[in-house]
């Protein structure tokens, strides 16, 4: 993992658990974290990917960057 990027793996979580995990990660993200890399997978349905996309409107998130393979999404908290 790169400095400034925190990874959050949502595999095995339902939507409620994933939301709690993402909310907690955003709350505790300090000044040294500029991206949250959310690993939601792409074979088990779209619910976690859709949930992650909803965070584009979160006050701490500047923008989101979905990966080309669809298995993860970066939540950009600040630009470098």
């Amino acid at each position: 993992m790169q400095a400034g990027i925190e990874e959050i793996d949502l595999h095995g979580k339902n939507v409620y658990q994933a939301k709690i995990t993402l909310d907690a990660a955003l709350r505790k993200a300090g000044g040294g974290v500029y991206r949250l890399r959310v690993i939601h997978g792409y074979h088990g349905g779209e619910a976690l990917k859709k949930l992650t996309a909803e965070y584009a409107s979160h006050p701490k998130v500047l923008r989101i960057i979905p990966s080309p393979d669809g298995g993860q999404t970066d939540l950009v908290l600040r630009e470098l």
Side-chain angles (χ1 to χ4, degrees):
M1 180 169 37
Q2 296 173 322
I5 300 176
E6 185 176 321
E7 285 190 356
I8 301 161
D9 191 346
L10 300 181
H11 284 103
K13 294 186 182 337
N14 62 34
V15 173
Y16 177 75
Q17 294 167 328
K19 181 169 177 29
I20 289 173
T21 302
L22 288 171
D23 288 342
L26 283 166
R27 265 194 318 274
K28 77 172 195 167
V33 176
Y34 66 93
R35 282 190 187 195
L36 293 178
R37 179 157 295 148
V38 182
I39 302 166
H40 44 69
Y42 52 88
H43 290 297
E46 297 288 315
L48 297 179
K49 183 177 180 178
K50 287 179 184 177
L51 171 70
T52 304
E54 291 174 9
Y55 279 83
S57 62
H58 190 280
K60 280 189 140 179
V61 177
L62 296 178
R63 61 190 168 95
I64 63 171
I65 303 173
S67 67
D69 71 357
Q72 69 186 27
T73 301
D74 283 3
L75 305 178
V76 179
L77 307 182
R78 63 182 178 84
E79 301 294 345
L80 279 179

